[in-house]
C-alpha cells in the first residue's frame, strides 16, 4: 500500500530531540516509528499501552509508619541484591538533567 497522506503535529522540542536520539540508536527513523505506533493503534483498536497516572510517589521519612519504612528498606535491599542499582555519579547526572541542578 503506498503512503499518500501526511500527519502534522506540534511537539515540544526537548521531547522530539530525546525521542530522535533514542530512535537513532535503534536505527528507526521518526516517520517509521510513528507509522509503527499508528499500526499498533489499529491492531489494538486503541492505544497500544495503558494510559494511567503513575503510582510512584515521593516518600517522606516522617510520613512512613514503621512497617512502611521496613517494606521500603526491604525493596531497596532486594534491588541491591539483584543488581538494580545506579552509581552516585549517575544519580547526580540524572538529577542535573531532570531537575536542572547538581547535588
Amino acid at each position: 500500500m503506498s503512503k499518500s497522506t501526511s500527519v502534522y503535529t506540534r511537539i515540544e522540542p526537548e521531547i522530539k530531540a530525546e525521542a530522535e536520539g533514542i530512535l537513532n540508536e535503534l536505527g528507526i527513523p521518526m516517520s517509521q516509528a510513528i507509522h509503527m505506533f499508528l499500526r499498533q493503534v489499529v491492531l489494538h483498536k486503541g492505544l497500544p499501552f495503558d494510559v494511567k497516572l503513575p503510582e510512584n510517589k515521593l516518600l517522606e521519612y516522617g510520613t512512613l509508619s514503621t512497617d512502611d519504612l521496613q517494606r521500603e528498606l526491604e525493596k531497596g535491599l532486594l534491588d541491591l541484591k539483584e543488581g538494580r542499582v545506579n552509581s552516585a555519579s549517575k544519580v547526580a547526572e540524572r538529577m542535573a538533567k531532570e531537575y536542572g541542578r547538581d547535588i
Side-chain angles (χ1 to χ4, degrees):
M1 179 183 286
S2 69
K3 297 175 186 172
S4 61
T5 190
S6 297
V7 174
Y8 297 97
T9 186
R10 299 185 67 77
I11 303 285
E12 296 161 353
E14 299 82 20
I15 296 294
K16 181 179 182 268
E18 191 171 341
E20 279 180 325
I22 293 166
L23 292 170
N24 285 338
E25 286 184 49
L26 294 170
I28 301 171
M30 178 74 74
S31 61
Q32 184 62 34
I34 293 168
H35 179 80
M36 292 165 62
F37 169 73
L38 294 175
R39 179 71 68 187
Q40 288 297 309
V41 167
V42 171
L43 289 171
H44 286 88
K45 297 189 183 336
L47 293 176
F49 47 82
D50 290 339
V51 178
K52 58 185 177 181
L53 296 174
E55 293 181 28
N56 292 339
K57 58 184 176 192
L58 294 176
L59 298 176
E60 293 183 38
Y61 173 76
T63 65
L64 296 175
S65 69
T66 302
D67 289 341
D68 291 337
L69 178 59
Q70 185 65 36
R71 274 192 293 278
E72 291 302 319
L73 290 171
E74 288 174 5
K75 286 194 295 188
L77 289 172
L78 183 60
D79 284 344
L80 182 61
K81 181 179 176 184
E82 295 183 0
R84 293 187 301 262
V85 296
N86 292 303
S87 67
S89 61
K90 197 159 201 107
V91 171
E93 181 182 308
R94 184 173 175 191
M95 293 280 291
K97 181 180 178 186
E98 292 185 18
Y99 301 104
R101 58 185 160 155
D102 295 323
I103 58 169

